[in-house]
Amino acid sequence: MDYNQISDLAILQKLGDFVKHHRMAQNKSQEQLATEAGVSRSTLSLLERGEKVNLITLIQVLRVLNQLQWLDSFEVKPVISPMTYIKLQKRHERQRIRNVNMAAEDPPLEW
């Protein structure tokens, strides 16, 4: 589903349906879930109906329902630019080691 194409209210309704579905799948009443999440039953009811609630309320409810895995999509992963990558590679390239004996002032005659 392309969430960019639906309204904010439709997204809230989808969130509410998600919460209600998982609450019922865990066989919890609104009162039980609200108590465990530390919110009022009326606030949970608003959330399930797709009404506006605080983001912290949604997080608290999803935590109790063990449904916070969707936060993985918000993780910011470091990206190394190609130029930085090349510089890092050059920094770790092996350096040639000069043979101290070969660097003497008098080179061998067979050269």
Side-chain angles (χ1 to χ4, degrees):
M1 171 172 272
D2 186 5
Y3 288 100
N4 292 313
Q5 300 299 319
I6 63 175
S7 69
D8 293 347
L9 295 177
I11 293 172
L12 288 173
Q13 185 61 54
K14 290 217 172 276
L15 288 170
D17 292 343
F18 180 85
V19 168
K20 185 175 184 177
H21 169 79
H22 285 284
R23 174 181 62 81
M24 294 177 79
Q26 293 181 21
N27 202 25
K28 293 185 180 193
S29 68
Q30 280 187 337
E31 190 65 42
Q32 286 174 309
L33 179 56
T35 301
E36 291 175 26
V39 300
S40 69
R41 191 206 54 78
S42 61
T43 300
L44 179 59
S45 178
L46 288 172
L47 173 60
E48 288 186 354
R49 287 194 317 252
E51 301 290 331
K52 296 177 184 177
V53 295
N54 288 329
L55 180 59
I56 191 69
T57 299
L58 177 62
I59 292 169
Q60 289 169 303
V61 169
L62 292 176
R63 183 181 308 279
V64 171
L65 293 173
N66 197 27
Q67 293 297 321
L68 287 176
Q69 67 273 8
W70 61 274
L71 289 172
D72 288 342
S73 61
F74 288 98
E75 184 178 348
V76 178
K77 295 177 181 161
V79 178
I80 298 176
S81 73
M83 292 303 293
T84 304
Y85 182 73
I86 290 169
K87 288 176 185 175
L88 287 172
Q89 275 187 325
K90 285 186 177 186
R91 194 177 298 166
H92 294 292
E93 283 180 356
R94 292 182 63 177
Q95 298 291 320
R96 291 181 92 184
I97 298 175
R98 291 179 52 167
N99 187 341
V100 177
N101 294 333
M102 296 299 284
E105 289 183 22
D106 297 325
L109 295 176
E110 32 310 329
W111 283 8

